[in-house]
Amino acid sequence: MEIRAERLLLREFTESDLDALHAYHSDPRYGEFYVPEELTAEHTRKLLNLFLGWAEEDPRRGCQVAITLADELIGTCGVRKSVWDGTDAEFGIELNPEHWGQGYAEEAARAILGRGFTELGVAIMRGQSVSRNEGAARLVRKLGFVSIGMRKGPPWMQSRGWQVQDWELARAAWSG
Ligand SMILES: CC(C)(COP(=O)(O)OP(=O)(O)OC[C@H]1O[C@@H](n2cnc3c(N)ncnc32)[C@H](O)[C@@H]1OP(=O)(O)O)[C@@H](O)C(=O)NCCC(=O)NCCS
């Protein structure tokens, strides 16, 4: 699967993406809202295995793709159904901090969400963020997501005074 956006190319992951993925996972700006275990080389390896595995599924339940700019991997985004024939899916996105603030996340998100609502037949897209993550909240609001509430997160989040914020975007509210 490949999606061309205005400035970006979203493409399948390959084995050779590991270093670029881990390079930004170990950037402290990226790590602000994650636990240290999620920022290790082992965790990045596990994630890449997961992404490569999802791409092998048939029929495909989810699309988790590499976001690339001029052949450089700058992040990842995905739409993942919880079950094969379901109509709700989880949306997620992350970018290398070196590329924040240029509209790349919005561009990639619109491309993958469009694919989810059309080809994957998703009716409700769900998302989660840490309540303090203003960059994520700004992005999902721009895309049309609405906050459906806050709930208690795991102990590490509680210890920092943060909660989990849940978001939803219905196909009927999607403007492309
Ligand atoms: C969430 C995340 C992907 C948002 O990235 P981002 O670069 O801030 O998001 P956008 O692509 O929407 O860019 C927004 C900014 O680009 C600016 N911009 C510059 N050129 C632009 C253009 N051509 N088009 C659109 N926006 C542009 C916008 O004005 C906006 O600035 P603002 O935030 O000061 O208002 C990023 O913070 C991230 O990777 N965080 C770590 C992982 C994470 O938290 N993921 C979410 C978990 S739920």
Side-chain angles (χ1 to χ4, degrees), residues 53-129:
W54 286 341
E56 296 293 309
E57 290 182 344
D58 184 22
R60 196 161 177 172
R61 184 171 38 169
C63 296
Q64 184 76 33
V65 290
I67 304 172
T68 66
L69 173 70
D71 285 338
E72 180 195 351
L73 181 139
I74 65 163
T76 173
C77 61
V79 164
R80 301 173 295 271
K81 282 182 172 178
S82 48
V83 289
W84 303 107
D85 55 354
T87 56
D88 68 320
E90 170 143 334
F91 162 72
I93 187 160
E94 59 181 45
L95 275 194
N96 181 330
E98 291 298 317
H99 297 279
W100 289 357
Q102 296 174 73
Y104 292 135
E106 183 180 355
E107 185 179 320
R110 288 193 187 284
I112 197 76
L113 288 169
R115 193 57 71 99
F117 282 125
T118 55
E119 286 179 26
L120 289 181
V122 174
I124 303 272
M125 213 61 86
R126 303 184 197 284
Q128 284 179 17
S129 63

Side-chain angles (χ1 to χ4, degrees), residues 3-10 67-69 74 104-105 107-108:
I3 311 178
R4 279 195 184 277
E6 199 183 328
R7 298 166 292 176
L8 304 169
L9 173 69
L10 311 190
I67 304 172
T68 66
L69 173 70
I74 65 163
Y104 292 135
E107 185 179 320

Side-chain angles (χ1 to χ4, degrees), residues 17-66:
D17 289 323
L18 185 64
D19 290 349
L21 201 56
H22 186 60
Y24 75 78
H25 284 173
S26 51
D27 183 317
R29 292 171 292 179
Y30 170 85
E32 187 176 358
F33 300 111
Y34 295 90
V35 269
E37 298 79 67
E38 291 176 303
L39 305 171
T40 60
E42 292 71 30
H43 188 77
T44 303
R45 175 73 260 177
K46 268 194 214 157
L47 280 181
L48 182 59
N49 288 348
L50 200 62
F51 299 163
L52 293 170
W54 286 341
E56 296 293 309
E57 290 182 344
D58 184 22
R60 196 161 177 172
R61 184 171 38 169
C63 296
Q64 184 76 33
V65 290

Side-chain angles (χ1 to χ4, degrees), residues 104-153:
Y104 292 135
E106 183 180 355
E107 185 179 320
R110 288 193 187 284
I112 197 76
L113 288 169
R115 193 57 71 99
F117 282 125
T118 55
E119 286 179 26
L120 289 181
V122 174
I124 303 272
M125 213 61 86
R126 303 184 197 284
Q128 284 179 17
S129 63
V130 174
S131 53
R132 185 65 180 276
N133 189 344
E134 287 163 16
R138 261 203 312 276
L139 171 65
V140 295
R141 282 207 177 91
K142 261 188 293 194
L143 297 167
F145 280 80
V146 291
S147 174
I148 56 163
M150 299 273 190
R151 60 188 159 85
K152 203 156 90 168

